[in-house]
Each structure stands twice: as structure tokens, then as C-alpha cells.
Amino acid sequence: MSSRVPASLRTFTSKSRARTAPYLKLNLDLIKNIIFIYVLLKYFRRGVRQLRGRGILGNVADGYAAFRRVSYGWILSLPWYKARIKLELEQTMKKLEDKLVPKGPGVTRYLALPKSGWTDDQVKAELQKLSEMQHAEWEKGRVSGAVYHGGDELLDLQAQAFRLFSVSNPLHPDAFPGVRKMEAEIVAMVLNMFNAPAAGAGATTSGGTESILMACLSARNKAYAERGVTEPEMVVPVTAHAAFDKAGSYFKIKVHHIAVDPITLKVDLKKLDRMINYNTVLIVGSAPNFPHGIIDDIAGLSKIALRRHVPLHVDACLGSFLIPFLEKAGFPTEPFDFRLKGVTSISCDTHKYGFAPKGNSVILYRTKKLRSYQYFVTSTWPGGVYASPSMAGSRAGSLIAGTWASLMRQGESGYLSSCVNIVGVAKRIESGIRDILHPDLYILGEPKVSVVAFSSTTINIYEIADHMSGLGWHLNALQDPPAIHIACTRLTAEASEAFLKDLGASVTAVKLKGEEEKKSNGGKSGASKAAKGDTAALYGVAGSLPNKSVINDIAIGFIDTLYKA
């Protein structure tokens, strides 16, 4: 069948296509070149920022560390090593399970709902039995932190508040107006305590981690809304709480960890300043930090924040209701709150030294607009308009009631008294270590609040931790550098003398053990062949491995074990 298009038109069409083809090819080549140049510039800018922030030597050190980490990971993946690691992990997990999961005669496991509901007496009897399971002696002040006890009378008051508001939910303020009022007042009281301006705002959360997550989310959303930042970064001290890394993981924020001064253990301001760039959405300081109890130079950070136009978050979760009262209690302190113009947000745990029930914290902002960046709102859900101020939807109004009751019961005078008590105990422990146990032990930095961290240049500090554990103490092991800390609470006051006595005995025992091992080695120092305790074994391995994947696997296994019924 012949074409209906005239020959002349067919010729014209073919010529037109021939003329168009080079232009089409040119356009495609141009688009490819533009994309290539864009990608090249993008990574070039990243490289420049990294070089400017870390410097040549810093980048070389980072590259070498990355090379060691990848190389060691490859070695660990070899069949022989992989099989051996798997066997040792299984043994470690079995040991953990035996320690954490009760088994044997007299242990009943409830893996399905009872066919018929229990009586009240049956439930109460089982609850009593569960409360009496063997546990760390926190009641005697032999546990670092963990239990921030406000006294039995306060516990009774909190229980009454729980009962009155047990079914309440702040998601429904019309149904529970009392809870809304209490939550707003909790935020107002904590804002006042941290000298917030009149425009200040805040929200309650489930704990310090969520407060930190909200601060990071707000900063990220602010940078996106106001500056169009799509590759957010934050700059934090290496001693900042791990919740900032969690926020980085959850919200896709790149986290730059800045070294601390080896003497003061405060974040190095010059190094932090160099890492700030267009993509920086937040810088961070601690008041104090968890590992060493050191307050970063918040005044210096505030100046940087103002000069570089970036938000500054102060993590005062641990300092909470102690650090605002240091000056009135007669202890040395440093600027840390909203009186510093560069501070834009502060996290404070009411459930620590506010003695509120576990599961309550407050995130504070300099302005209401900053707070609004943490909100979630959707107006298109078929279930109606939905808005929530933080991660959770439904929340326990009973926790808010318990927190409000705690703050009102303690008042300024109560918190001032507890500051004198708790910080005073920390000072006595610090002095005891400096005066009695030096040079075998030394204090890290100049702690000003409730945490006292110590280490040693003469003995294995992790063996000290294990020996103290054998004496019934549960302390926090630290790394980089190896150390131990005790976070003092009201309960520590009654145990401080016993702590120093047992710590001295542990130093003597570990030194004696080292001398005996040296004799058995013919007078030479060397690796001990004796079985090590859990802390010395774990952190000894962790410190020697350039690739931490094995330690990560142990941590994952530990969490899995917590859910074994």
C-alpha cells in the first residue's frame, strides 16, 4: 500500500528530522554536562567544607581511621574469624540471658493471657513477688544515678496524683482541662527557673532523649523553612549525650563530633567554630555532660551562635533542678541559661532532680515560633484535623499530674535543699579521691554539679569497676578515655563514706593483683592471664578494636534479651 503523503512532503519531513537530530543531541549533551557539573560542584563544596572544618591533619587521621575500620571489618568477615566471633557472641548472649532472664524452679512464665482473669489478691501477690526479685541495691545509694528518689512521702503523693488522673490524656484537653492546666504550669515554672524571656515557650516530653530529639527536629525544620537547607548538619561535643546521634539517625542530620580540651574536658570552641557552615542547623553544649559532669563553655558557645547565626541548644537534662540553684546554694557555677542571648533551646529532666515520676522532661525554647517547628500537623487525614506537639499522640496525664505535684511539693526551698545535699556529697567524694586516693586515681576535669568521674594512670580502671561491682556498687564505665563515674543522688548521701572506703579497698586489691601477676611473669608487666570481670573484658575489647561491629552486635543482643519472657 502506497503512502498517502506526497513525495515532496516526505522529503521535507525527512530533511526536517535530519536538521533537528543534531540539536536534540546537543541538548541531551548539554543536560548531561549540567548534571555532571552540578554533582561535581556539590561534592567539591562538601570536600572544601570538610577540609576547612577538620584541617589537613584531621582529614588524614579520619581517613586512616576509616581505612582501619573498613579493613578490620573485612578481616572479621572472613569465614574463620566469622565462625569464631559467632561462637563467642553466642556464649556472651547466653551469659547475658542467664543473668537477666530468671529460670529454674519457682519461676513461672506467663506467655499468654490467663483463661480467666485473676483476683485482685492474686495480682497483688505476684506484683509483690516481682518487686522482691534480686536487684541492685539502689535503696542503699549503691547505684550511680538511675533512681532519682525524692523520698517515700513524695512517692505517696505522686501515687495519689496518679490515681486521680489515671485515665486522663492531654490529647483531649476538653475532656481533661486539669491536665492541660498542669502541663502548661510545669512548662511555665521550668521556663522561669532557666530565666527565659517573656516570649519563651516549651513542651513536656517523655524524657531527656525526646526533649533532645525535639530540639534537633525544630532546628532542622527551621533551617529548611527559613533557609532551604536540605542537607542538615549539627556540631556537638564528643561528650554530648548519645541522644544527639539518635536524632541524627532519625532525622537524617549529619552529626560532627568535636573533641574536648584534654585538661578541662570542655568542648574545643575553635574546632567547633571551624565546623560550622551553611548547612549547620544547630550547635550544642552540655550543662553538665553525662560522662564527666563538666559544664561546657556555654558563654563561649553563645558568642559563636550569635556571630554565626545558628541556634544553640543547651542540654541540661542531668543538671536539671541542680544547676539553677548552684549559686544560691553557695557553689561555684557558670552561665548556662537563657540569660545568654545565643541560647535558643534547653532540655531539662523533671524526672531526675525534679524528683518527678519517670517519663517526664521539658524542652524549652526562646520563642514560640521555635517551638512550632517541632509540631506535627495534618489537615488532610480522613479522621479529621490532627495536631500533636511532640513524638507521642496519646500521653499519660497521670505523669503530668505526678510531675506537677512534685514541683509544687518541693518548691524553691526544697530544690535548694536538695542541691546543697546532692552537690555537697559529690564534693565530698571528689575531695576524698583527690586527697586520699591520689596518685592511683585522679579526677577528670573540674566537676561542678553531681557527677564525679575518675581514672588512673597506674592501674586498670575497669578492674576497679569490676571489683566495686563485686562489693555491690553499680557505677558507670566510660571510654575515650577509660574512666568510671558516679552520679550522686539523695540516696548517695548515706553511702558516700562506704563508697570511699570500698573504692580504697578496690584500689589496694587491684594493685596487689597486678603485683602478683608481675611476679608470676618473672618481674615483667604483661597481659594478665587471669579471667577478667565483665567491665574489663568488654571495654578492654572495645578499646582495642578499630571496628566496633562486634560491640554493636553485643548491644543489639542485650536489647533482644530484655524482651525474652
Side-chain angles (χ1 to χ4, degrees), residues 15 170 178 264 293 300 347 364 366 388 439 457 516 524 537 540 543 546 564:
K15 288 180 179 179
T264 66
S347 49
L364 309 172
R366 182 170 287 276
S388 64
T457 57
E516 290 175 351
K524 297 179 181 179
K564 288 196 174 183

Side-chain angles (χ1 to χ4, degrees), residues 90-291:
E90 288 173 352
Q91 292 172 349
T92 302
M93 291 302 104
K94 177 67 168 58
K95 188 177 179 181
L96 268 175
E97 186 174 335
D98 291 343
K99 184 177 181 179
L100 295 173
V101 183
K103 295 176 181 176
V107 176
T108 306
R109 300 164 69 207
Y110 304 102
L111 305 179
L113 288 170
K115 294 297 181 183
S116 299
W118 286 8
T119 65
D120 289 355
D121 288 340
Q122 284 178 300
V123 173
K124 290 176 182 177
E126 187 65 18
L127 287 172
Q128 185 64 35
K129 184 179 175 182
L130 289 167
S131 72
E132 293 171 353
M133 288 176 65
Q134 185 176 357
H135 61 276
E137 295 180 314
W138 62 264
E139 301 94 337
K140 296 181 180 179
R142 301 176 79 87
V143 175
S144 171
V147 179
Y148 300 89
H149 199 306
D152 291 337
E153 290 182 4
L154 186 59
L155 285 179
D156 291 339
L157 181 62
Q158 290 170 354
Q160 292 177 43
F162 268 55
R163 175 65 181 166
L164 285 171
F165 293 91
S166 61
V167 300
S168 63
N169 182 355
L171 190 63
H172 305 288
D174 53 340
F176 306 106
V179 171
R180 187 218 63 79
K181 181 176 183 292
M182 286 187 289
E183 182 171 26
E185 289 173 352
I186 290 167
V187 171
M189 284 186 268
V190 181
L191 280 167
N192 178 265
M193 196 169 69
F194 283 88
N195 295 292
T204 68
T205 67
S206 63
T209 291
E210 189 184 357
S211 289
I212 289 169
L213 290 176
M214 291 297 93
C216 296
L217 179 65
S218 168
R220 188 201 70 172
N221 290 350
K222 176 184 187 296
Y224 178 75
E226 298 179 7
R227 297 192 287 118
V229 174
T230 57
E231 296 181 345
E233 301 177 6
M234 60 179 166
V235 188
V236 309
V238 71
T239 50
H241 197 278
F244 290 100
D245 292 290
K246 181 182 276 191
S249 176
Y250 281 5
F251 304 139
K252 305 304 178 188
I253 304 172
K254 184 175 181 179
V255 184
H256 295 287
H257 297 94
I258 305 302
V260 295
D261 181 275
I263 305 300
T264 66
L265 298 179
K266 296 173 183 281
V267 66
D268 188 316
L269 296 184
K270 290 183 179 178
K271 291 180 179 178
L272 183 141
D273 194 11
R274 284 204 304 268
M275 284 305 301
I276 297 174
N277 59 61
Y278 176 81
N279 287 329
T280 302
V281 301
L282 186 68
I283 62 175
V284 172
S286 303
N289 63 46
F290 173 82

Side-chain angles (χ1 to χ4, degrees), residues 338-358:
F338 285 114
R339 286 173 290 186
L340 296 170
K341 302 301 182 184
V343 174
T344 53
S345 58
I346 299 175
S347 49
C348 169
D349 279 0
T350 44
H351 71 195
K352 284 192 173 71
Y353 295 113
F355 307 126
K358 275 291 182 186

Side-chain angles (χ1 to χ4, degrees), residues 321-323 325-332 353 415-433 447-452 486-497 499-500:
F321 283 61
L322 295 180
I323 191 168
F325 293 96
L326 285 176
E327 187 174 0
K328 288 183 180 179
F331 297 115
Y353 295 113
Y415 289 122
L416 178 59
S417 176
S418 65
C419 178
V420 171
N421 183 339
I422 295 166
V423 178
V425 170
K427 297 293 183 186
R428 288 198 295 275
I429 289 175
E430 179 190 351
S431 297
I433 293 173
K448 286 187 170 66
V449 197
S450 58
V451 171
V452 181
I486 180 168
C488 299
T489 67
R490 286 178 74 253
L491 298 168
T492 313
E494 300 174 5
S496 58
E497 290 185 14
F499 174 79
L500 288 170

Side-chain angles (χ1 to χ4, degrees), residues 395-555:
R395 292 178 290 143
S398 55
L399 282 173
I400 291 169
T403 300
W404 184 89
S406 302
L407 270 58
M408 297 301 288
R409 178 66 182 83
Q410 293 295 110
E412 282 193 18
S413 60
Y415 289 122
L416 178 59
S417 176
S418 65
C419 178
V420 171
N421 183 339
I422 295 166
V423 178
V425 170
K427 297 293 183 186
R428 288 198 295 275
I429 289 175
E430 179 190 351
S431 297
I433 293 173
R434 289 190 192 276
D435 299 341
I436 302 169
L437 299 176
H438 182 79
D440 293 307
L441 299 181
Y442 67 91
I443 300 292
L444 275 68
E446 296 288 340
K448 286 187 170 66
V449 197
S450 58
V451 171
V452 181
F454 51 95
S455 188
S456 177
T457 57
T458 60
I459 50 181
N460 186 333
I461 196 66
Y462 296 136
E463 290 189 14
I464 295 290
D466 285 323
H467 198 274
M468 288 292 282
S469 180
L471 295 175
W473 294 93
H474 291 257
L475 308 177
N476 294 94
L478 313 173
Q479 56 184 345
D480 302 324
I484 309 170
H485 90 209
I486 180 168
C488 299
T489 67
R490 286 178 74 253
L491 298 168
T492 313
E494 300 174 5
S496 58
E497 290 185 14
F499 174 79
L500 288 170
K501 179 182 176 183
D502 287 349
L503 186 59
S506 297
V507 168
T508 301
V510 171
K511 287 175 69 177
L512 183 61
K513 179 183 173 185
E515 290 170 4
E516 290 175 351
E517 288 172 356
K518 190 173 181 180
K519 287 179 182 178
S520 66
N521 288 336
K524 297 179 181 179
S525 299
S528 170
K529 296 180 181 178
K532 292 184 181 295
D534 292 344
T535 307
L538 175 62
Y539 285 95
V541 170
S544 64
L545 295 179
N547 184 301
K548 309 293 185 184
S549 59
V550 174
I551 306 301
N552 293 345
D553 288 341
I554 293 173

Side-chain angles (χ1 to χ4, degrees), residues 379-395:
S379 56
T380 58
W381 180 43
V385 177
Y386 178 91
S388 64
S390 54
M391 298 288 281
S394 291
R395 292 178 290 143

